[in-house]
Amino acid sequence: MKSKILLLTIISFVTLFSCKENGSPIKQKKQIVRKQPKSVSYTMENAKTWLEQNAVDVSKIEIVTAINRTDKKNLAKLDSIVIPSDFSGDVVYYLPFPLEVNYLKDVSKVLIFSYPTQTFAAYENGILAYSGPTNMGRKKDKTPTGLFFTNWKAEETTSTFNDEWDLKWNFNIENKLGVGFHEYELPGYPASHSCLRLLEKDAKFLYDWADQWVLADEENVKVKGTPVIVFGSYDFDGAKPWLQLVKNPKSLDISEAEVEKQVAPFLKSILDQQKIRDDYTKTSVE
């Protein structure tokens, strides 16, 4: 028995060593332990009444603000809000992005914003690392869609649109247009001047999670930051999409196939830029 165990150990070691020698180290999937609710269904309730009963319950507030794409301050200003029947799960189960996308397995990091659902997702090698609500550009100042890369960041900066607006945990994704994601109030609908508004905790997470660009000089980028994809459109004249959840809890679900469809046109560019960053990081360490 011991000899068999020893043989298996040697085989495992040789296999691992062989992989490394061939330049193909085995990638370990990131394991994230999450708690799934027993069921997901929704009702409409009066915001004021619900808050009177649950205002001090932090976990419930986190889930309800995410579902209604708002923050606690603005939640109190709404008339009716969408409430889940079961609060036992982690917040990602009440948001539309899939927990795993095999198509992204070779992508170290990618941040995806969905205009139709007003949510975002951060993936690491195809595994959902983080997700939350967002309020994107209003009808006359829409957030541009397509592929971007994170550029520079600042814990606090002043808006280029209005110098009275202080933007916290700001990460720029379009330098010339001044578009970025940052903390700012979420009224529960697209209301920004093209930026991607986030809750404070979400803005802080992405601020630390995403990579900044590396400049060759004042005019040229040597290494681009983390890829960011913004996709879809929003029906500004219709009802808030998440209100549909009451009739159909899966109405906003984003499938793996949909994520693949949105990423596919940009995958080569993303992987090319990822290699440039990996090579730069390797050279810097050496």
Side-chain angles (χ1 to χ4, degrees), residues 12-27:
S12 299
F13 176 78
V14 170
T15 302
L16 180 61
F17 181 78
S18 176
C19 287
K20 288 184 177 179
E21 283 294 303
N22 293 327
S24 303
I26 298 172
K27 287 185 179 179

Side-chain angles (χ1 to χ4, degrees), residues 157-169:
T157 188
T158 303
S159 169
T160 55
F161 186 88
N162 187 325
D163 59 14
E164 293 184 1
W165 297 347
D166 293 324
L167 311 179
K168 296 180 179 179
W169 310 107

